[in-house]
C-alpha cells in the first residue's frame, strides 16, 4: 500500500495524439474558455479550493477556471488580465507555501483535467499535459514503452510545478534531474500589451531562453505551462523507445528500523556520519551504487521509531552484496543496531508504487524547510538535528527530518546549463513540521524555525553556499528565507535558490512576463 506524504515524511509507515503547435508565438483565439466560471456558489468550488495539500492555506478566489486545452488557458488568462485580476495556477496541489492559496489570488486556473500523455512525432517527444500527476506518468511510460523518468517519489504531485522547479527522485543518481529529460514546453505568456499567446519553447529553437527558465526556475513565474515535451538530452532517435531511460525490471529493497528509546546521541551522530560518508564516497554516475536510493526518514522522538528505506536496481551486478555492504556501512560502529527488514526483490513499478508517497484525502498542516548539501554536516550540526528531534518539550510525532541522496548523474551537468544550479551536491535535507489543529500553529512553526536555525547557526540560520551547503530547492519553497527575522545571513533568498543563475532568470522574466502577471512571495523579480 502506498505510503502517504505525511506518513513517509514522518516515517510512521514501516515494514509494511498530442496537439502540435508550431514553435512560434500565436495570437489568442477569440473563443471563451470551456465551461463556466466556478464561483463560491458552485458545488465544485469547495473541492477545487481545497485541493492543496497544506491545510494551513485555503484560498478564496473570485472564481476558478478548469483548463482542458491550450485554447482554454489562453482565453482564461486573457480574461483575467483584461479584468486586472491576480492569477495563480494549480497542478497537483502540493505547493508548500500559499503561492496559489493566498488571500490576494482572485483567479485560479486548475489544470487537473489537462492530463493527456501521448507521443508527439513532430517533436519526437512525449507530450505530457501539465495537469498530469506522477503516478499516471509512470504508468503510461512504463506500461506503454518500458520507460521512465527520474521524477519524484510522491505519486500525487503534478508535473506542472515539479518539472519547472527541477524535480528529482529515486532514479536521479542514475539518470539526473528530470529537467535533463525536458525537451520543451507549450506555455501561455502575456506580452507588454497584455496579450495572451501560446509559445512552444524547446532546448533547440528560438525560444530556448524560455525553455531554460523552466529547467529549475520554478512554477508561477513566466506563464501557464499547458504541456511538457519529454526527450532526454542527447537522445537522437525518432521512436518513443529511444527517447527516455529504460526502467529497471526489478528492485531490491530493505528497511533499517531504529528504536528511539535505544538510540543515544553518540549512536545517532555515528549513524548520520556513516550515511553522509557513504554517499560522499559513492557519488559518481558510474558507481556500482548509482541506482541506490536510501532516504533517511528521521521522525521526532514521540513517533517511537525512525527508518532508512533503501532500494537498488536488482539487475545491478552483485546487487544483494551491494545492499548488504551498504547496510553494514550505515551500522558500522553503532552500539545498538537497528532492525533489518528484507523486503526482497519485486517488479519495478509495483515496488515503486508501494514505496512511493501516496495522496491523502485528509492532508495536514505543515511547514517545510530544506537545503542542499555538498558534503555531510559537521558533528555539531548533527547534534543540532538530534536535539531538535528529541526535544522533550515538543510533541510532534508527525514531524521529521528527511535526508535524501542526490548527485551522481545530476552532477555531470554544468551549473548554468539549466536553471537548476545545484550540480555539485550529494544530498538534500527536508525539515518538516506536520500537525492538524490550527490552534497549534505557533508551536509547530516555532519548532521548525528554531530547529533549522540551530542547524545553520554558523551561517545566519540558512544554508549559505560554502564547502558544505549549496542553498535550497525551489520546489520546497520557504518564505522565511526572504524574511530577515529568519534569514540573518545577509544573503538574499534568490541566491540560496538559484545561486549564480538568478540574473539570467530576471532577464528572461522581463522579456516573457514584462507586466509581472505571474508572481508570488518567492517569484523572480524582473530586471
Amino acid at each position: 500500500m502506498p505510503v502517504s506524504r505525511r506518513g513517509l515524511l514522518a516515517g510512521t509507515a514501516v515494514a509494511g495524439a498530442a496537439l502540435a503547435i508550431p514553435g512560434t508565438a500565436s495570437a489568442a483565439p477569440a473563443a471563451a474558455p470551456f465551461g463556466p466560471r466556478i464561483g463560491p456558489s458552485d458545488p465544485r468550488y469547495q473541492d477545487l479550493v481545497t485541493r492543496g495539500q497544506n491545510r494551513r492555506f485555503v484560498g478564496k478566489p473570485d472564481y476558478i477556471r478548469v483548463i482542458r486545452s491550450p485554447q482554454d488557458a489562453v482565453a482564461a488568462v486573457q480574461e483575467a488580465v483584461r479584468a486586472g485580476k491576480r492569477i495563480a495556477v494549480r497542478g497537483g496541489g502540493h505547493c508548500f507555501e500559499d503561492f496559489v492559496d493566498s488571500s490576494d489570488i482572485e483567479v485560479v486556473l486548475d489544470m487537473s483535467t489537462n492530463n493527456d500523455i501521448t507521443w508527439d512525432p513532430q517533436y519526437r517527444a512525449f507530450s505530457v499535459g501539465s495537469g498530469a500527476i506522477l503516478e499516471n506518468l509512470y504508468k503510461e511510460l512504463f506500461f506503454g514503452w518500458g520507460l521512465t523518468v527520474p521524477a519524484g517519489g510522491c505519486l500525487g504531485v503534478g508535473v506542472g510545478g515539479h518539472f519547472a522547479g527541477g524535480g528529482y527522485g529515486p532514479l536521479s543518481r542514475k539518470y539526473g534531474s528530470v529537467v535533463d529529460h525536458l525537451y520543451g514546453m507549450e506555455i501561455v505568456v502575456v506580452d507588454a500589451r497584455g496579450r495572451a499567446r501560446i509559445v512552444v519553447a524547446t532546448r533547440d529553437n528560438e525560444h530556448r531562453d524560455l525553455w531554460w527558465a523552466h529547467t529549475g526556475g520554478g512554477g508561477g513565474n513566466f506563464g501557464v505551462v499547458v504541456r511538457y515535451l519529454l526527450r532526454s538530452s542527447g537522445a537522437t532517435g525518432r521512436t518513443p523507445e529511444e527517447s527516455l531511460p529504460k526502467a529497471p525490471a526489478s528492485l531490491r529493497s530493505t528497511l533499517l528500523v531504529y528504536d528511539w528509546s535505544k538510540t543515544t546521541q553518540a549512536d545517532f551522530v555515528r549513524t548520520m556520519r556513516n550515511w553522509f560518508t557513504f554517499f560522499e564516497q559513492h557519488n559518481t554516475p558510474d558507481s556500482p551504487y548509482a541506482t541506490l536510493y536510501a532516504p533517511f526518514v528521521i521522525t521526532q522522538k514521540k513517533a517511537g521509531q525512525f527508518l532508512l528505506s533503501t532500494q537498488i536496481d536488482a539487475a545491478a551486478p552483485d546487487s544483494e552484496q551491494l545492499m548488504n555492504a551498504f547496510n553494514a556501512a550505515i551500522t558500522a560502529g553503532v552500539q545498538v543496531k537497528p532492525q533489518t527488514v528484507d523486503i526482497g526483490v519485486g517488479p519495478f513499478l509495483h515496488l515503486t508504487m508501494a514505496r512511493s508517497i501516496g495522496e491523502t484525502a485528509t492532508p495536514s498542516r505543515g511547514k517545510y524547510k530544506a537545503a542542499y548539501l555538498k558534503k555531510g554536516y559537521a558533528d555539531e550540526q548533527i547534534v543540532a538535528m538530534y536535539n531538535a528531534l528529541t526535544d522533550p518539550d515538543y510533541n510532534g510525532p508527525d514531524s521529521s527530518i528527511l535526508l535524501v541522496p542526490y548527485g551522481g548523474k545530476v552532477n555531470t551537468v554544468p551549473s548554468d546549463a539549466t536553471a537548476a544550479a545545484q550540480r555539485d551536491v550529494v544530498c538534500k535535507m527536508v525539515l518538516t513540521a506536520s500537525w492538524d489543529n490550527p490552534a497549534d500553529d505557533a508551536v509547530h512553526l516555532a519548532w521548525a524555525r528554531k530547529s533549522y536555525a540551530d542547524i545553520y547557526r554558523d551561517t545566519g540560520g540558512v544554508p549559505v553556499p560554502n564547502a558544505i551547503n549549496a542553498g535550497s530547492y525551489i520546489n520546497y519553497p520557504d518564505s522565511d528565507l526572504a524574511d530577515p527575522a529568519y534569514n540573518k545571513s545577509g544573503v538574499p533568498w534568490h541566491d540560496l535558490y538559484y545561486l549564480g543563475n538568478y540574473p539570467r532568470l530576471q532577464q528572461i522574466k522581463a522579456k516573457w512576463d514584462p507586466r509581472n502577471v505571474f508572481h508570488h512571495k518567492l517569484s523572480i523579480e524582473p530586471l
Side-chain angles (χ1 to χ4, degrees), residues 405-480:
Y406 196 53
K409 183 71 172 180
V410 173
N411 293 354
T412 64
V413 177
S415 180
D416 61 355
T418 61
Q422 286 86 354
R423 296 290 188 162
D424 59 350
V425 296
V426 298
C427 64
K428 300 189 184 191
M429 184 278 288
V430 191
L431 187 152
T432 302
S434 182
W435 68 99
D436 291 314
N437 190 343
D440 296 332
D441 283 6
V443 170
H444 294 281
L445 288 170
W447 176 83
R449 287 165 171 159
K450 181 180 185 303
S451 300
Y452 192 74
D454 286 348
I455 293 171
Y456 295 105
R457 181 181 297 112
D458 292 342
T459 53
V462 297
V464 173
N466 58 20
I468 293 178
N469 308 318
S472 193
Y473 175 45
I474 194 60
N475 275 356
Y476 298 156
D478 174 14
S479 296
D480 289 352

Side-chain angles (χ1 to χ4, degrees), residues 50 81 95 102 170 198 413:
T50 55
V81 169
C95 182
S102 174
I198 295 173
V413 177

Side-chain angles (χ1 to χ4, degrees), residues 23-40:
T24 57
S26 57
F34 181 86
R37 295 182 182 184
I38 298 174

Side-chain angles (χ1 to χ4, degrees), residues 9 56 59 65 135 148 158 281 313 427 433 504 521:
L9 293 183
R56 282 180 61 210
R65 288 286 193 188
E135 178 176 1
T148 192
Q281 295 175 345
D313 184 347
C427 64
R504 185 176 174 186
K521 289 180 179 176

Side-chain angles (χ1 to χ4, degrees), residues 490-507:
V491 177
W493 67 268
H494 46 75
D495 286 355
L496 299 175
Y497 285 118
Y498 300 117
L499 306 183
N501 286 341
Y502 188 64
R504 185 176 174 186
L505 286 166
Q506 288 185 287
Q507 293 172 353

Side-chain angles (χ1 to χ4, degrees), residues 30 96 116 189 226 232 240 262 299 309 317 365 395 471-472 514:
F96 290 164
D116 288 346
V189 296
V226 291
S232 298
K262 300 176 182 179
T299 49
S309 176
R365 306 170 76 81
N395 184 18
S472 193

